[in-house]
Amino acid sequence: MTLKWWAVVVAVVCLTSAVTANVVIVAVDGEQVPLLVNLFALTTAGTAVVLAVLAELHDRLNDRVTALTEFLVARLNEIEAHTGDRNAGFVEGYLLTHGPDAAVVPLDRRGRGAAER
């Protein structure tokens, strides 16, 4: 059972037990349940409801992020496949037009002017 459903069960049990206790005590003794007991039951049920809502929102956000990730992966694979095919011939053609041995030209040293050459 997920956190969301545990929170819903806790909230239902808490509210049911509080209402039942209030009805039974009023019917039997004619008195009221102490305020602290009612506040504890309401606080527990409210916290459980908030936790259930947050768990549901987390599940929805996780589903959206997963869907977005899958879409981006598919789109990037499509782009990579398309550009890989287009550039493959260009690179091969470029490499074939240039010889395997490229000339290496050394750079001038820094600090020396054109007059010293």
Side-chain angles (χ1 to χ4, degrees):
M1 203 184 269
T2 63
L3 176 65
K4 174 179 67 172
W5 292 111
W6 276 112
V8 169
V9 167
V10 167
V12 168
V13 168
C14 232
L15 288 177
T16 303
S17 62
V19 169
T20 304
N22 282 319
V23 168
V24 168
I25 291 193
V26 167
V28 172
D29 292 337
E31 297 179 11
Q32 292 183 351
V33 176
L35 181 63
L36 188 62
V37 174
N38 283 331
L39 287 177
F40 178 74
L42 289 175
T43 303
T44 305
T47 304
V49 167
V50 168
L51 186 62
V53 169
L54 288 176
E56 174 64 22
L57 291 176
H58 181 268
D59 284 345
R60 288 183 182 192
L61 180 64
N62 193 24
D63 291 342
R64 286 186 178 195
V65 168
T66 301
L68 179 63
T69 303
E70 290 173 357
F71 171 75
L72 287 175
V73 167
R75 183 68 179 136
L76 288 173
N77 286 337
E78 177 185 327
I79 290 171
E80 190 272 331
H82 185 261
T83 55
D85 292 342
R86 184 185 314 167
N87 289 336
F90 172 76
V91 172
E92 289 173 2
Y94 177 80
L95 292 175
L96 288 175
T97 59
H98 291 78
D101 299 326
V104 177
V105 178
L107 296 174
D108 288 337
R109 291 187 185 164
R110 291 183 182 222
R112 293 176 47 183
E116 292 180 19
R117 287 188 207 169

